[in-house]
């Protein structure tokens, strides 16, 4: 009978040793099974979540940040030796006129401490151009000299160090670096005595 013959052919087919399937065929079968079992995305739920998020975002008011607090935080990181974190906070501060000099100085020092001399030399000269007393610029000049030294520009490093020593001859770090880089000791300009003026 036909039905029995069909059943018999199926039994014989199953009793044959399995043929090796190609790798591509196996991968295709796995992909097909995975697609069948994957849960369908519910786009409606996604849209609802996005709408909820947008509503929350619209209700949050932007609070004006206090730049002095941010500067104090940067100073704390700086004193702890976390120069990257200090720099990140300093970059968030809008340059205000009353704090600009200090922000530039601290940024420059952070960059020198991190070994990013080229970046430091883009910032520090701007601070040296600020209207500040020469005594206030000593530390900035010193770190400028360190940045020049780090780049191998000893001539400009010596120029900065010489300016420091002309303003404050007791600036020990500048004096030591000046001598280390081969600077000629700066002679003090001695005013002639009264007797020498008469001659």
């Amino acid at each position: 009978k036909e039905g029995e013959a069909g059943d018999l052919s199926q039994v014989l087919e199953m009793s044959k040793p399995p043929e090796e399937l190609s790798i591509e065929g196996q991968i295709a079968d796995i992909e097909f099974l995975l697609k069948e079992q994957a849960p369908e995305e519910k786009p409606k739920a996604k849209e609802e979540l996005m709408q909820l998020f947008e509503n929350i975002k619209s209700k949050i008011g932007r609070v004006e940040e206090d730049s002095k607090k941010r500067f104090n935080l940067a100073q704390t990181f700086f004193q702890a030796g976390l120069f990257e974190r200090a720099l990140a906070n300093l970059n968030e501060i809008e340059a205000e006129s009353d704090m600009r000099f200090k922000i530039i100085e601290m940024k420059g020092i952070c960059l020198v401490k991190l070994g990013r001399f080229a970046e430091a030399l883009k910032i520090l000269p701007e601070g040296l151009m600020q209207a500040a007393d020469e005594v206030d610029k000593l530390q900035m000049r010193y770190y400028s000299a360190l940045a020049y030294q780090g780049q191998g520009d000893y001539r400009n490093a010596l120029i900065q160090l010489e300016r420091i020593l002309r303003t404050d001859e007791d600036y020990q770090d500048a004096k030591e670096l000046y001598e280390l880089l081969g600077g000629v000791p700066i002679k003090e300009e001695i005013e002639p005595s009264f007797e020498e003026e008469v001659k």
Side-chain angles (χ1 to χ4, degrees):
K1 295 179 182 178
E2 283 183 25
E4 290 176 2
D7 290 341
L8 185 59
S9 67
Q10 284 180 350
V11 170
L12 290 172
E13 191 68 35
M14 290 172 67
S15 66
K16 286 183 183 176
E19 295 176 13
E20 286 188 28
L21 292 172
S22 68
I23 292 176
E24 291 84 11
Q26 291 179 29
I27 291 172
D29 289 344
I30 291 170
E31 286 177 346
F32 177 75
L33 289 171
L34 287 174
K35 283 180 185 173
E36 274 189 355
Q37 293 177 357
E40 290 182 30
E41 278 192 43
K42 298 180 180 176
K44 193 174 181 182
K46 260 188 178 178
E47 287 174 18
E48 288 172 1
L49 278 173
M50 289 304 290
Q51 186 62 40
L52 180 65
F53 178 68
E54 289 300 322
N55 288 342
I56 292 170
K57 228 167 88 172
S58 67
K59 291 177 184 174
I60 296 173
R62 178 143 173 83
V63 178
E64 287 301 317
E65 190 174 278
D66 184 359
S67 56
K68 287 189 174 146
K69 285 181 182 176
R70 178 70 78 168
F71 181 77
N72 290 339
L73 182 62
Q75 226 170 7
T76 304
F77 283 127
F78 180 83
Q79 289 165 353
L82 302 170
F83 303 114
E84 284 285 358
R85 299 286 298 275
L87 199 55
N89 280 286
L90 290 168
N91 288 333
E92 291 294 318
I93 302 171
E94 289 184 24
E96 294 177 13
S97 58
D98 63 329
M99 293 175 62
R100 187 160 177 72
F101 182 80
K102 283 287 181 193
I103 291 169
I104 292 169
E105 182 179 40
M106 197 182 294
K107 272 186 184 182
I109 294 171
C110 285
L111 290 167
V112 170
K113 297 263 188 189
L114 292 168
R116 293 158 55 181
F117 305 120
E119 289 176 67
L121 289 172
K122 288 179 184 172
I123 291 173
L124 289 169
E126 184 186 339
L128 293 172
M129 299 298 285
Q130 297 283 321
D133 188 14
E134 196 59 34
V135 174
D136 295 333
K137 295 180 183 179
L138 292 178
Q139 185 170 351
M140 200 178 290
R141 284 200 187 284
Y142 178 70
Y143 279 93
S144 293
L146 288 176
Y148 281 123
Q149 179 198 12
Q151 286 200 312
D153 185 352
Y154 303 122
R155 182 178 168 274
N156 279 320
L158 286 168
I159 289 169
Q160 292 299 327
L161 294 167
E162 194 170 304
R163 286 184 179 167
I164 293 169
L165 295 173
R166 287 196 189 283
T167 306
D168 180 8
E169 60 189 37
D170 296 327
Y171 200 116
Q172 193 59 38
D173 290 340
K175 194 183 286 187
E176 288 172 8
L177 185 58
Y178 187 74
E179 290 171 7
L180 181 71
L181 294 177
V184 180
I186 298 170
K187 295 178 184 174
E188 293 181 29
E189 294 177 12
I190 302 170
E191 292 184 22
S193 66
F194 179 72
E195 293 169 1
E196 290 174 350
E197 283 182 17
V198 174
K199 291 180 185 179

